[in-house]
Amino acid sequence: MKYSKWIPLLFCLVWLTACRQDAPHFRIGVAQCSDDSWRHKMNDEILREAMFYEGVSVEIRSAGDDNSKQAEDVHYFMDEGVDLLIISANEAAPMTPIVEEAYQRGIPVILVDRKILSDKYTAYIGADNYEIGRSVGNYIASRLEGKGNVVELTGLSGSTPAMERHQGFMAAISKFPDIKLIDKADAAWERGPAEIEMDSMLRHHPKIDAVYAHNDRIAPGAYQAAKKAGREKEMIFVGIDALPGKGNGLELVLDSVLDATFIYPTNGDKVMQLAMDILEKRPYPKETVMNTAVVDRTNAHVMQLQTTHISELDNKIETLNGRIGGYLSRVATQQVVMYGSLVILLLVAGLLLVVYKSLRSKNRLNKELFQQKQQLEEQRDKLEEQRDQLIQLSHQLEEATHAKLVFFTNISHDFRTPLTLVADPVEHLLADKTLSGDQHRMLMLIQRNVNILLRLVNQILDFRKYENGKMEFTPVSVDILSSFEGWNESFQAAARKKHIHFSFDSMPETDYHTLADMEKLERIYFNLLSNAFKFTPENGKIAVRLSSLNKEDKRWIRFTVANTGSMISAEHIRNVFDRFYKIDMHHAGSGIGLALVKAFVEMHGGTIAVESDEKLGTIFTVELPVQSCETVATEPDDILVSPDSRTTDILLTEEEELEKGYDSSKPSVLVIDDNEDIRSYVHTLLHTDYTVIEAADGSEGIRKAMKYVPDLIISDVMMPGIDGIECCRRLKSELQTCHIPVILLTACSLDEQRIQGYDGGADSYISKPFSSQLLMARVRNLIDSHRRLKQFFGDGQTLAKEDVCDMDKDFVERFKSLIEEKMGDSGLNVEDLGKEMGLSRVQLYRKIKSLTNYSPNELLRIARLKKAASLLASSDMTVAEIGYEVGFSSPSYFTKCYKEQFGESPTDFLKRKG
């Protein structure tokens, strides 16, 4: 195989011969401000001139008159590492810092046609726009014989050509007192805006003798507007550019659309020559000014002949260049084929030699492998037999474990609701001052064990979520040092009780900020410290150490939890993180805490390890990578499944019974919970003072909230289908229900879930197991607060922004505006108003009543009477006319309502008015 070392060398030869030898030596980027015929001509000239320089590539990008797009183009060229930039700035001020940035990076910058508000550029080439403007002024003064009215249509006002052409023009006509610039407008270099602006000028100025257009696209637009008004022969039209070709300045002069145009040279070839002088370190001028001349009917025909001839020569040059390129390409291809063929021949010879040597080696190895194969087959048969036995045992263990976990999960989930129903009555009994000491101690024992059961249940449910891949990971920015210091306070009482020396120290001047799931990080820390306090004897030591380290070119955060007095043997230390593993019967616990800790650490991308011996005790070490970006996982929206016909019939029956028993005189509360016992318990607490409506899931809750528009909603968070947070979000986004306060009940008290609830629009959050007194106080306060808001709305007072949502404010304003618009219609009713507002009659009534304390009819009547009072005070209309004007069907009913509202009749008011 010694010949194989020649193979890489042969491949290198192939690669070298295949490589192109004409890679670009210079890269030039052209950032044009717009895309018009003048710039097309310049671009063609630049590209044509570039053909004469070997190894030069040119890329042209147009900004379409957009400053931000041109800034992006320049940054693109800088990022691509071009050797030189050619820039025609759209507007001077916005582009100045961009050009300066490129210049300061060391990239040569040539400004073409348009300047910037700085001298930080390499060179400028273009016509003298001030001189062009002055030449136009002198030409117009000559044509008008020193007397007349002139209007000016400028280019983009922020561009330097527009500024300089105007200044030069004003300098010229200032010498002729009888020539006046009577109007000026920004046409942005385009024909369409020019036509619009000229049309406006023609309407305002009856006499216009000359039109000065900043380019040959503006000029025909002005001419077209004058032609539509029949005034095109009253004035002369002068433009700038004098480009050849259809629709350009030279043809417009020949067609008598323009009286004259001034040559504004493109000179793309000179731009390219200047660029190459800079790149090849030859002397070059800082400023290159191109000459101009007038083109009118006297010389336009000659100019056309010259430009046509030049165009034909350009086409021939391009054709010849294409043919030369084709010939060079063929030569290069033939060279590659020739050298490639030679290399392939060498490669084939080498491969044949390698194959020969390989065949000899293969025969020798085959004999050895045949002997080994026979031995391996015998071992394989034994291993397969053992594997089948292990697979069978593994399946049996998996089935048993899965059945056990499913049972534990189901029973644990069912524990939470009865525990909720136990915890609150126990809290009620503990508040009873007549309890004996033994009764109080027994109730405290019950309460403590209920909390323990809730913790164990949550651990089992969390571990099942992790195993099923449904555990959510929500990283947020965390300062681990400050979090640990805060959590340490929870263990001070335990340390004092067992006389344990508890210490915490960290590496100074270290940044401990990272992205982590706050809830899971807290569970990791509390679980490890709880175990340490559990297994540390009195007068022992517990030490937590927080530090930083670099591993695999990445920064990690490490913390250790060490405690004395306990040791885990090598036999058990391998399995300490396994689920349901217990060292022996003397160690209490569920055997799931450390397994859950390991799962949470791995979700953070970290590792956890444990060491233990008689002298040091036990040390748990957790290492977490420092994260700098946040990953947010979104779950698909819940899908609403329509109930079958039987369920629908049952729901309709329940709805009918609820309608019959609905007491509108009391505030109404909607309770949404999938657990019937919870709904019944809350109903028992509230039914005396409130009308209680129940819903078994989120979709039913949304439907009943839309129908009954209750004063308050209490919703569980964890429900099948639409959960409480999504239910709250949807209710707060609907016009009919966005004003209703929402209380969320949850078995999870973590800040992250609370944040989700408040982001969804929740007004309050109460954790299970909840205190009935807390729930009733919160219900009462929210309804009272909402009642005060009703008074604000009804009285038309100003509301604080945080009190009422913008949707409700807009709704009331829209309703009042609708009343103001339609009050003259005596047949206007609630159904008509509801259709206009997009609501049913009942929904409109409940929404308006809930927000303003008035019914829609009452608001309509009040608005009509206030309008009538205004008309009585400010007009000479009769009482009957005013009544009909504001929508009352009869004068007598109007008089009755007016007296009830203001305490006197309309007639009495008019008499008092005198």
Side-chain angles (χ1 to χ4, degrees):
M1 301 295 288
K2 62 182 179 180
Y3 301 102
S4 60
K5 65 183 181 181
W6 294 99
I7 294 176
L9 180 59
L10 293 173
F11 276 113
C12 288
L13 288 172
V14 174
W15 179 77
L16 287 172
T17 55
C19 285
R20 290 181 58 84
Q21 301 300 317
D22 57 348
H25 186 57
F26 292 120
R27 298 183 61 199
I28 299 175
V30 181
Q32 289 285 16
C33 59
S34 61
D35 189 16
D36 53 60
S37 55
W38 190 87
R39 301 206 179 270
H40 282 172
K41 186 171 185 295
M42 177 192 286
N43 294 341
D44 291 342
E45 291 169 351
I46 290 174
L47 293 173
R48 189 181 304 116
E49 184 67 19
M51 296 176 185
F52 295 98
Y53 300 96
E54 185 177 358
V56 174
S57 68
V58 179
E59 182 178 354
I60 301 175
R61 297 172 75 94
S62 174
D65 300 314
D66 186 337
N67 293 323
S68 60
K69 175 64 169 60
Q70 190 168 33
E72 290 177 7
D73 291 344
V74 174
H75 280 117
Y76 163 80
F77 286 130
M78 287 193 286
D79 294 340
E80 289 293 310
V82 297
D83 299 289
L84 182 139
L85 274 170
I86 299 172
I87 300 174
S88 179
N90 187 49
E91 289 187 276
M95 290 306 298
T96 296
I98 311 299
V99 174
E100 288 180 341
E101 180 185 353
Y103 182 76
Q104 289 167 354
R105 284 199 191 183
I107 302 173
V109 179
I110 298 177
L111 296 181
V112 179
D113 170 40
R114 302 185 183 187
K115 292 186 178 180
I116 59 171
L117 307 179
S118 167
D119 60 353
K120 291 183 179 179
Y121 56 86
T122 308
Y124 168 78
I125 182 169
D128 187 339
N129 285 289
Y130 182 89
E131 182 60 28
I132 289 177
R134 199 170 66 81
S135 298
V136 173
N138 290 329
Y139 176 81
I140 291 177
S142 173
R143 286 291 305 273
L144 298 181
E145 297 180 353
K147 182 177 181 181
N149 295 331
V150 183
V151 296
E152 181 180 7
L153 293 169
T154 73
L156 195 63
S157 59
S159 61
T160 55
M163 302 178 197
E164 294 171 355
R165 290 176 186 181
H166 171 71
Q167 293 166 359
F169 179 74
M170 295 303 297
I173 66 171
S174 63
K175 299 176 183 178
F176 302 92
D178 293 331
I179 294 182
K180 294 182 175 57
L181 180 65
I182 61 173
D183 207 344
K184 173 188 172 189
D186 184 349
W189 304 111
E190 296 298 333
R191 174 170 180 163
E195 187 171 346
I196 295 171
E197 296 294 342
M198 185 64 188
D199 184 65
S200 174
M201 291 177 177
L202 290 168
R203 289 198 301 270
H204 288 87
H205 303 291
K207 178 171 175 56
I208 299 174
D209 298 301
V211 177
Y212 168 32
H214 277 204
N215 70 3
D216 290 342
R217 293 197 308 283
I218 295 175
Y223 178 84
Q224 190 63 31
K227 186 175 182 180
K228 289 180 181 178
R231 297 174 57 183
E232 76 277 10
K233 296 183 179 178
E234 300 175 7
M235 56 198 80
I236 64 174
F237 294 86
V238 180
I240 297 173
D241 279 348
L243 288 178
K246 185 172 177 58
N248 292 325
L250 188 58
E251 183 177 324
L252 293 174
V253 171
L254 292 171
D255 292 342
S256 299
V257 173
L258 299 183
D259 292 86
T261 181
F262 282 74
I263 295 174
Y264 191 64
T266 52
N267 285 18
D269 52 346
K270 303 237 185 283
V271 172
M272 192 63 203
Q273 291 166 12
L274 176 61
M276 293 310 300
D277 286 342
I278 294 171
L279 290 173
E280 294 178 348
K281 310 298 183 184
R282 291 193 293 270
Y284 62 90
K286 174 80 171 181
E287 304 283 335
T288 303
V289 178
M290 303 299 178
N291 296 322
T292 184
V294 65
V295 177
D296 55 15
R297 293 181 181 87
T298 62
N299 61 358
H301 185 68
V302 175
M303 289 285 296
Q304 186 183 40
L305 292 175
Q306 291 176 341
T307 55
T308 301
H309 182 63
I310 292 170
S311 178
E312 290 173 355
L313 291 177
D314 288 341
N315 291 334
K316 290 179 180 179
I317 290 171
E318 289 181 3
T319 302
L320 290 173
N321 184 72
R323 290 180 180 178
I324 292 170
Y327 296 148
L328 292 175
S329 177
R330 279 189 210 168
V331 170
T333 303
Q334 290 170 357
Q335 286 178 341
V336 169
V337 171
M338 182 181 67
Y339 290 127
S341 300
L342 179 60
V343 170
I344 289 171
L345 286 173
L346 293 173
L347 185 61
V348 169
L351 287 174
L352 288 173
L353 183 60
V354 170
V355 168
Y356 171 73
K357 299 294 290 183
S358 298
L359 286 173
R360 291 187 60 184
S361 300
K362 178 183 176 184
N363 291 331
R364 186 180 70 253
L365 291 172
N366 281 341
K367 293 178 182 179
E368 297 174 1
L369 289 173
F370 181 75
Q371 295 173 355
Q372 294 177 2
K373 179 181 177 183
Q374 289 179 332
Q375 296 174 359
L376 289 173
E377 284 180 351
E378 294 175 0
Q379 295 177 0
R380 185 192 63 189
D381 293 339
K382 293 179 181 179
L383 290 173
E384 285 181 352
E385 185 178 350
Q386 294 174 359
R387 184 200 62 188
D388 293 339
Q389 293 174 355
L390 289 173
I391 289 174
Q392 186 177 0
L393 289 173
S394 175
H395 286 323
Q396 292 173 356
L397 286 172
E398 283 184 5
E399 291 173 0
T401 302
H402 180 71
K404 180 169 62 176
L405 288 176
V406 169
F407 170 75
F408 281 155
T409 304
N410 291 340
I411 201 72
S412 298
H413 197 278
D414 291 340
F415 278 163
R416 296 174 78 167
T417 295
L419 285 173
T420 299
L421 298 174
V422 170
D424 195 57
V426 168
E427 189 175 337
H428 268 290
L429 291 173
L430 282 170
D432 188 351
K433 303 298 184 182
T434 63
L435 290 175
S436 66
D438 289 340
Q439 291 173 330
H440 191 271
R441 280 192 295 275
M442 285 190 292
L443 287 171
M444 288 294 292
L445 179 64
I446 294 172
Q447 187 183 51
R448 185 165 59 254
N449 281 277
V450 165
N451 292 334
I452 292 171
L453 280 172
L454 277 172
R455 179 171 58 81
L456 294 175
V457 164
N458 288 335
Q459 281 190 347
I460 293 173
L461 292 176
D462 285 346
F463 195 76
R464 284 296 288 158
K465 281 184 182 177
Y466 173 76
E467 285 198 327
N468 293 330
K470 296 182 179 178
M471 174 69 72
E472 292 184 358
F473 180 69
T474 311
V476 296
S477 181
V478 177
D479 181 359
I480 291 183
L481 176 60
S482 62
S483 299
F484 281 11
E485 289 174 341
W487 295 335
N488 287 339
E489 296 296 325
S490 303
F491 295 94
Q492 296 301 329
R496 288 192 295 269
K497 184 177 179 181
K498 294 182 70 175
H499 307 288
I500 292 173
H501 177 69
F502 176 42
S503 64
F504 175 84
D505 66 289
S506 60
M507 186 185 296
E509 298 182 359
T510 302
D511 182 11
Y512 292 106
H513 284 84
T514 184
L515 290 179
D517 190 313
M518 195 68 172
E519 173 205 348
K520 294 172 179 59
L521 186 63
E522 183 181 16
R523 297 277 287 279
I524 293 168
Y525 193 69
F526 270 71
N527 218 318
L528 293 177
L529 269 185
S530 296
N531 280 344
F533 275 94
K534 183 189 299 182
F535 296 116
T536 302
E538 289 196 11
N539 300 313
K541 294 181 180 179
I542 296 176
V544 178
R545 169 72 177 169
L546 182 62
S547 60
S548 176
L549 70 153
N550 289 319
K551 186 167 64 173
E552 299 175 355
D553 297 328
K554 188 174 183 180
R555 200 164 69 84
W556 291 61
I557 294 174
R558 171 193 288 167
F559 69 90
T560 59
V561 179
N563 67 288
T564 61
S566 66
M567 175 191 169
I568 305 173
S569 67
E571 175 190 354
H572 296 300
I573 208 166
R574 291 192 300 270
N575 304 310
V576 74
F577 295 114
D578 292 347
R579 62 189 181 190
F580 307 120
Y581 181 80
K582 296 177 68 175
I583 294 174
D584 53 51
M585 296 305 295
H586 301 291
H587 287 78
S590 63
I592 201 173
L594 289 178
L596 200 58
V597 167
K598 184 173 185 292
F600 288 167
V601 169
E602 289 175 349
M603 289 181 73
H604 284 80
T607 61
I608 183 170
V610 60
E611 302 175 33
S612 187
D613 61 36
E614 292 184 6
K615 293 182 179 179
L616 297 177
T618 301
I619 303 175
F620 283 89
T621 302
V622 176
E623 294 181 352
L624 302 174
V626 175
Q627 302 290 342
S628 59
C629 61
E630 182 172 351
T631 304
V632 180
T634 57
E635 296 180 358
D637 292 340
D638 294 312
I639 300 172
L640 293 178
V641 181
S642 300
D644 58 28
S645 58
R646 182 165 174 246
T647 305
T648 304
D649 294 339
I650 294 171
L651 289 173
L652 289 173
T653 304
E654 291 177 353
E655 292 284 319
E656 292 172 359
E657 291 177 357
L658 182 59
E659 285 283 0
K660 292 178 183 177
Y662 187 85
D663 185 358
S664 60
S665 63
K666 294 192 293 185
S668 57
V669 177
L670 172 61
V671 181
I672 307 173
D673 200 302
D674 60 328
N675 186 277
E676 187 175 356
D677 290 336
I678 294 289
R679 297 200 306 273
S680 176
Y681 181 57
V682 175
H683 187 283
T684 302
L685 294 175
L686 301 179
H687 79 280
T688 303
D689 300 318
Y690 306 96
T691 297
V692 181
I693 307 164
E694 297 181 24
D697 55 47
S699 57
E700 183 184 354
I702 293 173
R703 184 171 55 81
K704 287 190 175 180
M706 294 284 191
K707 180 173 183 179
Y708 294 102
V709 192
D711 295 282
L712 184 133
I713 296 172
I714 300 172
S715 175
D716 187 22
V717 171
M718 299 302 295
M719 293 185 295
I722 300 178
D723 62 21
I725 293 174
E726 176 64 15
C727 179
C728 177
R729 186 184 65 79
R730 295 192 188 185
L731 289 171
K732 289 294 184 177
S733 64
E734 291 292 338
L735 180 62
Q736 300 96 311
T737 56
C738 63
H739 64 282
I740 304 173
V742 177
I743 298 175
L744 292 180
L745 302 178
T746 179
C748 180
S749 60
L750 297 174
D751 289 342
E752 285 78 4
Q753 193 182 71
R754 289 177 181 269
I755 291 170
Q756 289 179 355
Y758 287 130
D759 285 345
D763 297 88
S764 185
Y765 229 111
I766 297 179
S767 299
K768 291 181 181 179
F770 55 82
S771 165
S772 60
Q773 294 176 351
L774 173 62
L775 178 65
M776 294 178 70
R778 201 72 191 98
V779 169
R780 183 170 59 254
N781 288 340
L782 284 174
I783 291 179
D784 288 346
S785 174
H786 196 63
R787 186 178 291 117
R788 288 193 293 273
L789 294 181
K790 285 185 187 180
Q791 294 171 358
F792 276 126
F793 258 134
D795 296 341
Q797 299 183 24
T798 303
L799 293 171
K801 288 185 178 178
E802 63 271 15
D803 291 334
V804 180
C805 69
D806 291 338
M807 190 181 292
D808 284 340
K809 291 179 182 177
D810 293 341
F811 175 82
V812 172
E813 292 301 323
R814 194 153 53 91
F815 184 74
K816 288 181 177 179
S817 298
L818 181 62
I819 289 177
E820 185 72 24
E821 178 186 346
K822 303 253 183 198
M823 70 167 61
D825 182 3
S826 60
L828 185 65
N829 56 38
V830 178
E831 288 187 1
D832 296 334
L833 292 171
K835 289 178 182 177
E836 292 286 343
M837 298 297 291
L839 300 173
S840 68
R841 179 182 61 81
V842 174
Q843 286 175 333
L844 180 66
Y845 176 84
R846 288 176 175 165
K847 179 77 176 180
I848 293 294
K849 187 74 174 176
S850 174
L851 282 174
T852 67
N853 233 16
Y854 293 112
S855 69
N857 277 329
E858 289 173 330
L859 281 179
L860 178 59
R861 185 170 65 252
I862 291 170
R864 282 172 167 167
L865 291 172
K866 286 183 178 179
K867 179 70 172 179
S870 174
L871 291 173
L872 282 170
S874 61
S875 72
D876 296 329
M877 298 170 66
T878 65
V879 172
E881 288 173 340
I882 290 173
Y884 290 128
E885 176 69 19
V886 297
F888 283 91
S889 56
S890 68
S892 59
Y893 181 60
F894 165 60
T895 301
K896 175 178 176 296
C897 293
Y898 188 92
K899 189 169 185 179
E900 289 176 355
Q901 180 71 19
F902 298 110
E904 64 177 346
S905 67
T907 306
D908 294 338
F909 173 80
L910 290 175
K911 289 179 180 178
R912 183 165 53 81
K913 176 183 173 185

